[in-house]
Amino acid sequence: MASTTLQGLPASPGIAVGRCWTVDRRKVRTPRRNIAAEEVEAELSRLEAAIELSVRQLDGVKARMETADGAEHLAILEVHRAMLRDPSLVDESRRLVREERVNVEWAVKRTIRKIKGAFSEDDEFFRERRSDVDYVGERIVKNLLGQGVDVVETPPPGSIVVARDLSPADTAILFHDRKVAGLVTDAGGITSHTAIVARALEIPAVVGAGKATTTAERGDWIVVDGGRGLVVVNPSPGERADYEAARIRQMEREAELARLKDLPAETVDGVRLRMLGNIEFGEEVPGLLSHGGEGVGLYRTEFLFMGRTELPTEEDHYRDYRNILEAMGGRPVTVRTFDLGGDKLPSGQKDHSENPALGLRAVRYCLRHPDLFHAQLRAAVRAAAHGNLRLMFPMVSGVAEVRAAKWMLTEAFEEVVAQGLEARMPPVGIMVELPAAAVVADRLAQEVDFLSIGTNDLIQYTIGVDRQNKDVAYLYKPLHLAVLRMLRSIADAARAAGKTVSMCGEMAGEPLYTLVLLGLGLDELSMNGPSIPLVKRVIRSASAREGRELLDRLLGLNTADDIEREVRAEMTRRFPGLLEGDAAVGPVSG
Amino acid sequence: MHRLEKTFTIVNSLGLHARPAAMIVRAANKFRCDIQFEKDGLQINAKSIMGVLTLAAGKGSLVVVVCEGEDAEAALAALAKVFESGFGER
């Protein structure tokens, strides 16, 4: 039998090989009929009974599951339970039965449709809620019709569950003992409840695979490649062996990366780098530490503004910074002052200028709104008394701006101290993300304690290309000769001044560039936590010398494509499997 | 008739998502008084999870809680606890 490959969405990474276990979950057909006046009461009591039964079923599922861990994932069942008794569902269904004289199944179906209408389809959060409402309605209707509602059979250990779609209750039942090897669904997206649970339980999963249920039968061999979103039904013995081998390699690789967590990011010739994390919320700290993060290289404070109507107060900032400092336990936390303006403004405000990217943004915005900036600086110096806080100004274009920002910092510090509050003057740095700053980096380095290169904006402004613009996005090249020269001159300037130099753009977390960055002689790399282990692995098996040699070679080339080809060839030669291996375990940067 | 009103800020990072909504509705249904939430001109019944979910209140958003009825005071106190705990999240 020939094998069939289906392309779906990568819902949960990892490779699984096992026998298919199809789960039949037919959509219910809702009958419609008109009822006589004397039937109304009977219909209403049928509704009452069906809701009662539905509540008991969900309680039963929860009770069965709560013995297993992962009870966290049962929260959604609580939501469904609340929906069953929701007045908007019950009252409207009853009204339809009474006033329109329709059977209760039809009344429930119509009510569910109406409730779903309140949840926009465009929003991910609401899409999930729409499917929750559907599951609840389906449960009631199936109970009214006397049809089975939940999965009853437990698959044999090591099975690959294949279903059209799974309700949260089904997912809980199927996964609670964690013996399922993999999961494939025809429908669903990567943010569906099923996908989230699969990721949390680390079960390889592909969703939206289209016609898995009609392609595979119970007992067929199936391969699930959750990282790529691939499903192979009836693989040949050769394919099966290949995937089995890939699965083992991947498990070994993960174990190896986990072992790296507490080892230093040190090259074979003894150059030690600090691996830092980029964060937006304090909640990301545990994840960062678990990946071996040695500090926060970029804390994007503007997220305190998002989704709120009032400006955050000094106390809001202070509490927030202090929590993060304490959670990081003495490790450095680099607080970047507001990077507001352009596309990021407190809600309700909008920048209507012709060219927001070149407009009133970041430190410019802060200097224009001293009250807002002052509150943040006061909070920062106060929080600095409780940990290793470093302060960083974004979008600096020259020395005058740094001096102005530092003057405001000193003023805030003196004011806080005069009030008898605990405070400390933090080390100060700037983001080098404008070509102007890169060119005068030697002078800027005299004004501050550290420089941090923001590659995303630096590349954009240097090449003069908007990455979101499809027509010119192809020009966005991190390895453009102009970018490389600029990176080198920033790093050299910092070193000459004896100042720390970091990188906190996407380039820092992409292992393809790690050797080049070693060549630059950076002190710190800051990236998303999950990218740390792989970058660290490259650092630990490379030397700074070979990095410098590679960089010298690259600077002799002319086009970005030639440079990239050279880097790829070198990385493929030095770290075979590193670059193509990434796809199997999901993206390495984000 | 007792009418009490108080504004709460959503403090947990995920906002008023499904699980917190279930917590709120469970708390609200313990009281007899009428409980309404208001956010950005949208007004909903806090005893209805569908309603609470339609608020889609993210971190930092403000929700006005209005309790009206005999046990309004106790209801507001109970809801304050739920809001201020950040729904047991961070």
Side-chain angles (χ1 to χ4, degrees), chain A residues 28-348:
Chain A
V28 63
R29 290 179 72 90
T30 311
R32 174 186 188 164
R33 66 188 176 88
N34 294 322
I35 57 169
E38 55 273 23
E39 285 179 275
V40 166
E41 285 313 311
E43 282 298 285
L44 293 180
S45 47
R46 282 180 65 221
L47 175 64
E48 195 50 46
I51 290 175
E52 267 316 306
L53 177 58
S54 301
V55 169
R56 280 208 309 277
Q57 285 164 345
L58 285 183
D59 285 346
V61 172
K62 270 185 70 184
R64 271 171 67 193
M65 300 308 130
E66 260 157 2
T67 49
D69 55 357
E72 182 61 21
H73 313 302
L74 301 176
I76 197 72
L77 299 182
E78 190 62 38
V79 173
H80 287 195
R81 196 180 182 282
M83 285 183 169
L84 283 167
R85 295 196 188 280
D86 197 284
S88 64
L89 173 60
V90 181
D91 296 350
E92 175 69 6
S93 299
R94 293 170 68 95
R95 190 189 69 79
L96 288 172
V97 171
R98 267 208 194 92
E99 293 176 13
E100 308 215 353
R101 299 273 169 81
V102 290
N103 60 323
V104 66
E105 290 89 348
W106 191 253
V108 169
K109 185 189 165 114
R110 267 185 54 189
T111 307
I112 290 291
R113 201 189 302 155
K114 184 172 161 195
I115 292 171
K116 277 165 67 185
F119 298 123
S120 143
E121 264 179 271
D122 306 328
D123 184 291
E124 206 167 275
F125 173 77
F126 282 148
R127 252 195 325 264
E128 282 303 306
R129 302 292 78 83
R130 285 167 71 93
S131 67
D132 286 327
V133 176
D134 268 333
Y135 286 129
V136 166
E138 190 176 295
R139 179 176 294 273
I140 298 174
V141 172
K142 279 186 170 176
N143 279 328
L144 284 165
L145 297 171
Q147 295 180 358
V149 283
D150 293 311
V151 174
V152 279
E153 293 169 291
T154 321
S159 300
I160 308 283
V161 168
V162 176
R164 183 169 322 190
D165 197 5
L166 290 176
S167 74
D170 293 334
T171 310
I173 294 168
L174 287 166
F175 289 1
H176 85 284
D177 57 3
R178 300 181 181 211
K179 287 193 180 131
V180 168
L183 167 74
V184 181
T185 61
D186 291 351
I190 55 175
T191 57
S192 64
H193 175 75
T194 309
I196 291 167
V197 172
R199 279 197 291 278
L201 300 182
E202 298 179 1
I203 295 171
V206 173
V207 299
K211 43 186 185 151
T213 47
T214 49
T215 313
E217 285 177 30
R218 256 191 203 187
D220 285 350
W221 279 101
I222 292 195
V223 172
V224 179
D225 184 344
R228 290 190 172 87
L230 289 178
V231 180
V232 185
V233 181
N234 288 314
S236 68
E239 281 176 307
R240 227 169 79 198
D242 287 349
Y243 273 106
E244 193 57 52
R247 189 178 72 85
I248 290 164
R249 269 203 313 278
Q250 184 176 303
M251 282 169 58
E252 288 169 352
R253 212 166 107 119
E254 276 162 21
E256 193 208 321
L257 292 180
R259 274 196 303 276
L260 281 174
K261 179 179 161 272
D262 299 315
L263 295 173
E266 187 174 324
T267 61
V268 292
D269 49 356
V271 173
R272 171 85 163 84
L273 279 81
R274 188 134 68 165
M275 305 301 278
L276 307 174
N278 297 346
I279 64 167
E280 289 163 7
F281 302 105
E283 290 77 358
E284 292 171 76
V285 167
L288 173 60
L289 293 174
S290 78
H291 285 105
E294 300 170 81
V296 173
L298 172 62
Y299 171 41
R300 303 181 167 107
T301 56
E302 57 278 6
F303 281 85
L304 267 177
F305 281 87
M306 299 298 140
R308 60 191 292 161
T309 47
E310 282 173 15
L311 292 178
T313 64
E314 176 183 328
E315 284 306 310
D316 290 338
H317 287 297
Y318 170 70
R319 261 200 314 274
D320 197 67
Y321 303 165
R322 190 174 163 175
N323 282 342
I324 291 175
L325 285 165
E326 284 171 356
M328 289 302 292
R331 296 177 185 86
V333 174
T334 314
V335 172
R336 178 177 71 182
T337 58
F338 305 136
D339 191 8
L340 295 166
D343 54 347
K344 285 177 281 190
L345 280 173
S347 60

Side-chain angles (χ1 to χ4, degrees), chain A residues 403-479:
Chain A
R403 289 187 181 158
K406 279 177 67 184
W407 185 82
M408 285 197 62
L409 176 66
T410 309
E411 190 187 47
F413 176 72
E414 284 167 359
E415 189 183 282
V416 168
V417 171
Q419 288 170 340
L421 296 169
E422 244 189 311
R424 193 175 67 86
M425 194 66 175
V428 173
I430 54 159
M431 294 271 294
V432 181
E433 49 191 338
L434 290 174
V439 172
V440 299
D442 55 333
R443 305 293 173 84
L444 289 167
Q446 300 299 326
E447 305 284 325
V448 295
D449 303 302
F450 64 94
L451 302 181
S452 186
I453 307 170
T455 50
N456 302 6
D457 275 343
L458 184 63
I459 297 167
Q460 191 148 295
Y461 288 119
T462 300
I463 309 178
V465 55
D466 175 1
R467 211 159 37 140
Q468 312 302 331
N469 181 334
K470 285 195 183 65
D471 295 324
V472 292
Y474 73 97
L475 287 170
Y476 184 94
K477 298 274 189 191
L479 294 175

Side-chain angles (χ1 to χ4, degrees), chain A residues 75-76 78-79 82-83 86-89 115 118-119 125-126 129 133 281-283 306-310 320 323, chain B residues 9 11-13 16-19 22 25-26 40 45 47-51 53-56 58-62 90:
Chain A
I76 197 72
E78 190 62 38
V79 173
M83 285 183 169
D86 197 284
S88 64
L89 173 60
I115 292 171
F119 298 123
F125 173 77
F126 282 148
R129 302 292 78 83
V133 176
F281 302 105
E283 290 77 358
M306 299 298 140
R308 60 191 292 161
T309 47
E310 282 173 15
D320 197 67
N323 282 342
Chain B
T9 310
V11 294
N12 62 318
S13 68
L16 194 42
H17 64 98
R19 197 188 63 88
V25 172
R26 201 165 33 196
D40 302 332
N45 174 4
K47 294 182 180 179
S48 158
I49 188 160
M50 313 286 195
L53 287 171
T54 51
L55 289 182
K59 180 177 179 174
S61 51
L62 301 175
R90 289 192 52 198

